[in-house]
Amino acid sequence: MVGEKNSKKMVLIPWLTMIFVSAFPNIILREGLNINLPWLRWAKIGVLLVLFMISVFNKKLFPLRQYFGVFLAVFITTEAIIMLRATEQWKIWFGGDTPSFVQHMLRKQLLLLVSAFIIFFILLLLKKKPSQFYLSMGDLNARVKPVKWLAVQDNIHWKRFGSEFGVYLSIGLLIYLLSANGIPSIKDLLQVVPYIPAIIIFATINSFYEELVYRASLLSVLEGVVGERHSLFITTLYFGIGHFYGVPSGIIGIMMASFLGYILGKSILETRGLFWAFVLHFVMDFCIYIFGCLNFIR
């Protein structure tokens, strides 16, 4: 009975930590009470730091020490990116108030690259091998575990499912982008062509950053403690809540990001690698950045 209670606590604590550290409290305060608390980010850092310190010395929480430590690193680097991007000096370095498309993307992407390397080295210190935090190709043709609500059958493998999902994702995203931005002219499309190498680089950076920092890192320190199912849903919801103010925004934004996050996280856990998550994320970012470039040209 005691062991069962400890097991439930071991699952509940990561869930509660994720919810508090996510954008959920900010959304409730801002949308429900019209309150903005600038110090809330520091409170979140403080809670993560305290939990990490307690877990180092507390036998019962010791298995969660890597989760708290990695989550703390992820949160601090994310907040540092937000604050640095907002500084006038950073804006001046990349075009000021009238940046070009490349300057605008560099302003966003360079800090992501730095953050990704920081998280990579932290994970390397903890896990010793990149493959231990899924930084490998993995088994590209691993079996997809059946999911009733996705109509995924028992005999489907990731080589087929990943390819088909990539096609459906591209079509659905292009329909949304065309409806939101309008059909571009041939002249506009031709002007985008010189930017394609830069778009490929930026999509690669962003895809690698988000899959390593927001998915692989947390999955690698959670799976062995709370199991595959809980680790997948914790990272999925954290990723989804973070898109409340994205495009599309609101509940729809959370649902769409959560669905995508679920598929990408599922691919990492089942193939034991980052390949399908990275490729699918890259396809999505590439399409989005093409239209972002079009808007700059227009």
Side-chain angles (χ1 to χ4, degrees):
M1 193 71 174
V2 175
E4 186 179 341
K5 287 182 179 179
N6 289 337
S7 179
K8 289 181 178 179
K9 286 181 180 178
M10 199 61 71
V11 171
L12 184 60
I13 291 172
W15 268 105
L16 293 176
T17 302
M18 179 279 293
I19 291 171
F20 177 71
V21 174
S22 73
F24 183 73
N26 305 69
I27 294 168
I28 295 299
L29 289 171
R30 182 174 176 180
E31 303 300 322
L33 303 173
N34 196 28
I35 296 174
N36 180 36
L37 301 177
W39 52 262
L40 188 56
R41 65 176 61 170
W42 303 110
K44 294 178 180 182
I45 291 174
V47 167
L48 284 173
L49 183 59
V50 169
L51 286 171
F52 172 69
M53 294 301 294
I54 292 174
S55 66
V56 171
F57 299 102
N58 185 287
K59 185 177 180 180
K60 292 180 180 179
L61 291 180
F62 190 74
L64 288 170
R65 70 196 184 286
Q66 289 189 356
Y67 171 66
F68 295 134
V70 170
F71 214 154
L72 179 62
V74 168
F75 190 84
I76 288 176
T77 54
T78 300
E79 290 301 311
I81 288 172
I82 294 172
M83 289 189 287
L84 283 171
R85 280 178 182 171
T87 62
E88 287 301 319
Q89 186 59 57
W90 188 257
K91 292 178 182 178
I92 291 171
W93 285 344
F94 299 99
D97 294 328
T98 56
S100 65
F101 172 73
V102 172
Q103 288 173 323
H104 170 72
M105 293 304 294
L106 282 172
R107 182 187 292 180
K108 297 172 61 179
Q109 301 293 326
L110 285 181
L111 292 174
L112 299 186
L113 199 57
V114 173
S115 175
F117 277 116
I118 292 172
I119 300 301
F120 168 79
F121 284 115
I122 290 174
L123 289 170
L124 196 60
L125 287 172
L126 294 174
K127 298 294 183 178
K128 309 305 179 185
K129 295 180 181 179
S131 59
Q132 294 300 307
F133 48 94
Y134 314 109
L135 196 57
S136 66
M137 296 286 283
D139 182 0
L140 305 186
N141 202 30
R143 186 175 70 88
V144 181
K145 292 183 179 180
V147 181
K148 289 184 180 180
W149 59 273
L150 276 177
V152 176
Q153 304 300 317
D154 191 45
N155 59 345
I156 302 295
H157 292 76
W158 272 102
K159 189 173 183 179
R160 174 185 168 187
F161 183 80
S163 302
E164 291 180 354
F165 185 78
V167 172
Y168 299 145
L169 178 66
S170 301
I171 293 173
L173 183 59
L174 284 173
I175 291 173
Y176 170 77
L177 291 170
L178 287 170
S179 64
N181 298 277
I183 300 175
S185 65
I186 299 298
K187 179 182 176 182
D188 286 345
L189 288 174
L190 289 174
Q191 291 186 72
V192 171
V193 172
Y195 292 98
I196 288 181
I199 290 172
I200 291 174
I201 293 172
F202 295 140
T204 299
I205 292 173
N206 192 70
S207 303
F208 176 73
Y209 166 78
E210 293 202 0
E211 291 312 310
L212 176 67
V213 174
Y214 293 121
R215 224 170 317 278
S217 65
L218 296 176
L219 285 172
S220 69
V221 294
L222 268 178
E223 186 187 7
V225 183
V226 301
E228 181 179 302
R229 182 169 172 270
H230 281 287
S231 61
L232 176 57
F233 282 109
I234 287 172
T235 54
T236 293
L237 192 57
Y238 182 66
F239 185 72
I241 292 173
H243 286 76
F244 182 85
Y245 295 110
V247 179
S249 61
I251 300 299
I252 294 176
I254 290 178
M255 292 175 64
M256 290 179 66
S258 295
F259 173 71
L260 179 65
Y262 174 81
I263 297 297
L264 300 183
K266 182 176 171 66
S267 76
I268 291 173
L269 290 170
E270 293 176 1
T271 66
R272 315 308 295 176
L274 215 60
F275 177 82
W276 283 115
F278 170 77
V279 168
L280 294 171
H281 204 139
F282 172 85
V283 168
M284 180 182 68
D285 283 346
F286 181 78
C287 295
I288 292 171
Y289 291 166
I290 287 287
F291 277 83
C293 187
L294 276 167
N295 288 333
F296 262 83
I297 291 172
R298 288 168 175 170

